[in-house]
Amino acid sequence: VQLQASGGGLVQDGASLRLSCVASGRSFRAYVMGWFRQAPGKEREFVAAISWSGVTTYYAGSVKGRFTISRDNAKNTVYLQMNSLKPEDTAVYYCAAKTGTYSDYIGEYDYWSQGTLVTVSS
């Protein structure tokens, strides 16, 4: 499966942004989808994940209550709605796909998008 992430940009502290990730190739609904991010000088970290059905979602503690992951299987797309953005959310964001069950471990994801840069200014 090929993944294409988009929607990054430069916003101010407290603003909102929505990232999208479109999948092509094999059946999208077969995959758990995740969002990860990598800030300058830091390791890539888990942000959120969503089950194949969209019923179950998982979040890192640092974004819980501010970010919402969702998916539209008819459009082969997963979204990350980011509200109340903070400067510490500045990072390159990646979407990723894996089969099986939920995981926040980077190594378990099989397919990755290119990154989309989110910059939050103070």
Side-chain angles (χ1 to χ4, degrees):
V1 62
Q2 293 80 44
L3 303 174
Q4 180 77 31
S6 63
L10 173 63
V11 297
Q12 291 189 331
D13 191 353
S16 297
L17 206 57
R18 189 177 80 159
L19 305 183
S20 300
C21 176
V22 179
S24 59
R26 299 177 65 182
S27 179
F28 176 70
R29 64 178 66 240
Y31 295 95
V32 168
M33 298 299 297
W35 284 97
F36 293 78
R37 67 186 182 185
Q38 187 166 17
K42 295 187 177 181
E43 294 187 351
R44 195 171 299 188
E45 65 176 5
F46 171 77
V47 175
I50 188 166
S51 62
W52 68 268
S53 65
V55 170
T56 308
T57 56
Y58 313 88
Y59 296 95
S62 60
V63 306
K64 198 167 186 179
R66 299 188 298 122
F67 290 12
T68 302
I69 188 171
S70 61
R71 67 191 293 164
D72 185 338
N73 287 340
K75 295 182 178 180
N76 285 4
T77 303
V78 61
Y79 304 98
L80 186 67
Q81 177 67 44
M82 305 184 294
N83 298 331
S84 302
L85 282 162
K86 305 175 182 179
E88 50 263 45
D89 295 316
T90 294
V92 177
Y93 285 71
Y94 303 86
C95 68
K98 68 178 299 292
T99 55
T101 58
Y102 151 77
S103 175
D104 60 3
Y105 178 50
I106 291 173
E108 291 195 18
Y109 284 78
D110 302 306
Y111 303 99
W112 290 84
S113 71
Q114 89 297 349
T116 185
L117 177 62
V118 173
T119 304
V120 185
S121 63
S122 57

